[in-house]
Amino acid sequence: MADDTTRKYRFFWDLLGNIELGRPNLGQYARVEMYRLLQYTFRDILEQRFGADETDRIFYESGYLAGKEFHRNLIGPVADVNDFLKKLQSLMKELGVGVLRVEEADPERGDFIITIAEDLDCSGLPELGTQLCTYDEGFVAALLECFSGKPFVVKETDCWCTGDRVCRFSATMKKNNTAI
Amino acid sequence: MNDITRRILEQMAAGRIPDDIPGTADYADTLRRLAQYFASIQRFTIALSNGDLSQSLQGVTGPVAGGLKSLQSALRHLTWQTRQIAAGDFSQSVDFMGDFSSAFNAMVADLGAAYGQLQHTNEELGREIAARKQMEDALRASQNQLALAMDLSRLAKWESDLAADMFILNDHFYALYGTSADREGGYLMPFEVYVREFVHPDDVQVVTEVMKNALAASTELRTSVQFEHRIVRRDGEIRDIAVRFMAMRDDGGNLLRIYGANQDITEQKRIEKALSQQAHTDQMTGVNNRGYFLELLDVEIERASRYGRPLCVLMLDLDHFKSVNDTHGHAAGDEAIRTVPRVIQATGLRQSDFFGRIGGEEFAVALPETDLRDAVDAAERVRSQLAETPVKHGSGNFSITVSIGVCKFKYGDSQETLLQRADQAMYKAKQLGRNRICSAY
């Protein structure tokens, strides 16, 4: 891999830019369809080039990177798991990412089941017969790892694209503590 | 479509799941999958309606199942939130669930406010309890100190139950009186029983009078009384008791309560008596010293002066006392001095007569209710008895004599003038040869 500091597209938070400066008239918000147009055209080309599995891995790792930066810049230190989940829920609602709900949360055992309704990626998509939110899987895995200090594996079990109406994610702490 | 298929479809359209789909039905496999789908949805829905959130529709897809799973997800989240609220987190809120959100969030807000109020009340209560406990501890310490002080000072407190006309006593009190609650039949005792059983017969009147006066009507809200009397303990011992009590009244003068404490002052009295005796007594001879003799004489002079009663004084002085000391030694001289009061007492002084050592070898005798002739006779008895009484000293004896001046009180006499005349008479006896009596008029 190329030297990380010289890569052309190395991510850093400031790369998100000064929206106020850049869009004094149109402001912070854009239509969800435009976001999805960007994402799903990416998927299409990536799949053509590298196959579906590799594309899913790329999106998982991208979501993981995003989750780490999101935690570092927007969540920060929290008192406990309850505080963490409330902060996350509030941010996701405020940023329009989705409506986060918790079905189970056991930080001791390292088991979580969370749902995201009105998910930014997939809510309202046609039924495709498969889960699509691999980016979200990586995103959630990174958030849980940043909170607990332990790596997690996250799998989407229900998705709008499988006909469900919420995206359900099952997160389990990795037992051998190896990072992804 | 055959009839079997039609019947199965009509059943499903009516919302019923067929028990059996025979292989002869058209699209039998598809119908069976459809029936299984309905059955899964039905089980899941029934479980949800019974509050069972554990059922899974894993593998069952489509919008219908998706909608139900979304509902299950919302209920599970609510359950999780309810647990957080129960643990004290009142910041939980429900979003995007319409009227339920409003009602639930309002309920949580009210719960939070009530909880906050309760916590505040609890904290205040905690502070109040701590303060009260401090006060109780201080009170207990104070009571213990008081009990200790009372114990050390042998104070036995008591109070009256006026309604029952009883005194309320305690173990301390009974200990002072050499008895116990078991022996006396409890801690309540009528006043007359106390007087009959414990007050010294000679002091009954005093005690009864004091209590009667204390119970009498008064405008004073508090009346404080203290007096002393003797008691007879159950073991027969007589003790001196100091009684202090306070009678409390209401605005109408009605007696409310009497609080008192008795103290055994027997030892104190004994010491006082000893000190008094010491203050009044001549160390060498044990008789009244000059100061006390003169005090007593003043009383008799006052009585004689007021009532015109006869009073005589004898002044005695040992003859040749210096020679006694020089010849026999100072110890012999002291023994000679000690002999004089022994002889005076042996000559039969009456109870009203008294005497004292008023100088080195000088004694005075006061004889109330005595005229001059009888005083002279008394003086002669002393003189002759003394002359015949050898003074024992070492292995030998020696004799002593006295010169006595006798003087009768005249109206207008003071202590000084009376004693001066007696002294002058005594000196005249010396001049006339000693060992004799001279009178002054």
Side-chain angles (χ1 to χ4, degrees):
Chain A
M1 193 173 293
D3 176 15
D4 209 52
T5 55
T6 59
R7 285 193 296 111
K8 183 177 178 183
Y9 294 115
R10 180 182 71 85
F11 180 81
F12 52 97
W13 192 260
D14 286 346
L15 207 55
L16 299 180
N18 186 332
I19 309 297
E20 221 175 283
L21 180 67
R23 287 164 61 101
N25 298 299
L26 293 180
Q28 289 181 309
Y29 299 102
R31 293 284 293 259
V32 170
E33 298 96 311
M34 292 298 103
Y35 160 77
R36 287 180 181 175
L37 178 65
L38 177 71
Q39 189 192 134
Y40 290 112
T41 50
F42 267 143
R43 282 177 188 261
D44 188 314
I45 302 302
L46 284 169
E47 189 188 14
Q48 286 181 51
R49 290 278 180 89
F50 306 109
D53 290 344
E54 186 61 20
T55 301
D56 284 340
R57 269 195 290 278
I58 289 169
F59 268 85
Y60 190 98
E61 285 181 34
S62 304
Y64 182 85
L65 175 61
K68 288 209 105 151
E69 292 297 319
F70 187 92
H71 188 278
R72 187 188 357 256
N73 288 281
L74 295 180
I75 294 186
V78 290
D80 52 31
V81 65
N82 191 30
D83 192 25
F84 165 70
L85 290 168
K86 274 196 301 189
K87 240 180 180 174
L88 183 61
Q89 192 180 42
S90 173
L91 278 167
M92 287 181 72
K93 182 171 119 179
E94 184 192 329
L95 296 169
V97 175
V99 180
L100 176 76
R101 292 192 174 122
V102 178
E103 290 189 6
E104 278 177 35
D106 190 341
E108 300 293 320
R109 277 194 1 234
D111 288 329
F112 291 81
I113 296 179
I114 60 171
T115 61
I116 302 176
E118 299 186 28
D119 186 271
L120 179 62
D121 281 355
C122 70
S123 54
L125 256 60
E127 198 173 326
L128 302 172
T130 181
Q131 294 96 340
L132 270 194
C133 303
T134 46
Y135 182 89
D136 291 6
E137 287 175 341
F139 188 76
V140 171
L143 287 170
L144 289 173
E145 184 176 319
C146 290
F147 162 71
S148 66
K150 297 186 168 67
F152 275 77
V153 171
V154 179
K155 189 76 190 78
E156 187 183 28
T157 55
D158 293 323
C159 182
W160 193 280
C161 296
T162 56
D164 295 296
R165 287 299 171 261
V166 290
C167 297
R168 178 178 277 128
F169 297 87
S170 175
T172 310
M173 190 182 351
K174 273 188 164 186
K175 296 300 182 245
N176 56 6
N177 262 4
T178 54
I180 63 163
Chain B
M1 181 190 306
N2 63 26
D3 286 341
I4 295 169
T5 307
R6 189 180 299 109
R7 227 177 3 261
I8 289 167
L9 284 172
E10 278 169 3
Q11 273 185 347
M12 285 186 169
R16 288 193 295 277
I17 301 170
D19 293 327
D20 179 46
I21 297 173
T24 51
D26 294 332
Y27 309 102
D29 283 341
T30 306
L31 286 173
R32 284 192 195 104
R33 286 207 315 273
L34 183 59
Q36 268 178 357
Y37 180 85
F38 280 155
S40 301
I41 297 294
Q42 184 189 38
R43 273 196 302 274
F44 188 81
T45 311
I46 289 170
L48 263 189
S49 68
N50 288 332
D52 178 4
L53 305 181
S54 67
Q55 293 294 312
S56 172
L57 275 180
Q58 191 75 27
V60 182
T61 59
V64 174
L68 289 170
K69 283 193 270 186
S70 174
L71 176 62
Q72 185 196 48
S73 168
L75 289 172
R76 280 178 172 176
H77 180 61
L78 268 174
T79 305
W80 181 82
Q81 282 187 299
T82 306
R83 288 197 188 108
Q84 303 310 307
I85 293 166
D89 178 8
F90 297 98
S91 67
Q92 295 290 330
S93 68
V94 170
D95 295 320
F96 312 120
M97 288 183 79
D99 289 344
F100 181 81
S101 288
S102 311
F104 186 90
N105 295 339
M107 179 193 74
V108 173
D110 287 345
L111 272 176
Y115 183 78
Q117 183 62 38
L118 190 63
Q119 262 195 323
H120 176 70
T121 304
N122 269 355
E123 279 161 18
E124 276 190 355
L125 201 59
R127 277 194 292 274
E128 205 179 296
I129 289 171
R132 191 168 294 181
K133 187 173 180 316
Q134 239 181 359
M135 274 172 57
E136 282 174 0
D137 288 345
L139 183 63
R140 199 173 300 117
S142 179
Q143 283 174 335
N144 288 342
Q145 278 180 343
L146 180 63
L148 179 64
M150 289 182 81
D151 197 31
L152 288 172
S153 62
R154 297 168 69 86
L155 268 179
K157 65 180 177 71
W158 52 269
E159 59 185 279
S160 67
D161 179 347
L162 292 166
D165 196 22
M166 291 274 193
F167 282 101
I168 304 167
L169 308 175
N170 51 66
D171 293 333
H172 260 111
F173 188 96
Y174 281 137
L176 188 58
Y177 285 68
T179 183
S180 67
D182 284 343
R183 187 168 172 182
E184 303 303 328
Y187 292 101
L188 300 179
M189 184 180 289
F191 177 64
E192 59 266 23
V193 171
Y194 168 75
V195 170
R196 185 181 67 231
E197 298 293 321
F198 294 106
V199 175
H200 191 285
D202 291 347
D203 294 344
V204 166
Q205 191 175 355
V206 163
V207 172
T208 310
E209 276 296 312
V210 167
M211 283 308 290
K212 184 178 151 194
N213 291 338
L215 294 176
S218 169
T219 54
E220 297 284 330
L221 290 179
R222 289 185 184 185
T223 312
S224 180
V225 176
Q226 52 187 62
F227 70 108
E228 298 171 5
H229 71 87
R230 286 165 297 175
I231 61 163
V232 182
R233 287 164 47 104
R234 281 293 187 211
D235 56 11
E237 191 185 353
I238 297 173
R239 306 289 289 182
D240 289 287
I241 296 290
V243 181
R244 289 177 185 78
F245 65 83
M246 188 168 289
M248 322 257 315
R249 289 181 172 77
D250 61 19
D251 291 340
N254 300 307
L255 207 54
L256 294 173
R257 203 84 175 165
I258 299 180
Y259 297 96
N262 292 3
Q263 185 179 16
D264 186 338
I265 55 169
T266 307
E267 186 61 18
Q268 181 186 322
K269 282 258 189 230
R270 186 192 65 74
I271 292 169
E272 276 174 6
K273 191 175 172 184
L275 285 173
S276 174
Q277 271 183 338
Q278 206 171 33
H280 296 156
T281 304
D282 174 63
Q283 294 291 318
M284 187 194 293
T285 61
V287 302
N288 296 324
N289 58 22
R290 179 188 174 86
Y292 194 52
F293 173 81
L294 294 178
E295 260 184 57
L296 295 173
L297 182 62
D298 271 341
V299 170
E300 290 307 323
I301 288 173
E302 170 65 24
R303 204 169 65 83
S305 181
R306 184 187 291 268
Y307 300 110
R309 305 306 301 164
L311 169 66
C312 286
V313 167
L314 312 180
M315 193 70 80
L316 291 80
D317 191 283
L318 276 171
D319 295 329
H320 302 300
F321 182 66
K322 190 173 177 311
S323 298
V324 169
N325 276 335
D326 292 343
T327 307
H328 302 287
H330 286 282
D334 289 350
E335 186 55 32
I337 291 171
R338 280 193 282 270
T339 303
V340 172
R342 281 203 292 268
V343 167
I344 292 174
Q345 274 164 335
T347 57
L349 281 182
R350 299 163 304 176
Q351 199 155 355
S352 57
D353 301 332
F354 57 91
F355 67 98
R357 183 183 175 201
I358 58 169
E361 69 272 23
E362 209 169 1
F363 291 83
V365 183
L367 303 170
E369 300 294 330
T370 308
D371 63 21
L372 190 59
R373 185 196 291 272
D374 291 337
V376 168
D377 288 345
E380 177 53 30
R381 287 197 294 277
V382 171
R383 187 210 62 76
S384 62
Q385 186 77 32
L386 201 54
E388 288 162 18
T389 303
V391 177
K392 293 187 174 54
H393 169 65
S395 55
N397 302 329
F398 60 93
S399 298
I400 53 171
T401 60
V402 286
S403 299
I404 303 178
V406 183
C407 179
K408 182 183 172 184
F409 172 79
K410 285 190 297 197
Y411 186 80
D413 257 337
S414 67
Q415 183 195 92
E416 287 78 18
T417 55
L418 180 60
L419 288 175
Q420 196 175 29
R421 288 211 309 286
D423 206 44
Q424 284 166 354
M426 185 266 293
Y427 269 115
K428 192 169 176 192
K430 294 270 191 208
Q431 282 166 346
L432 291 173
R434 294 181 169 79
N435 191 21
R436 63 189 68 238
I437 293 146
C438 261
S439 305
Y441 294 94

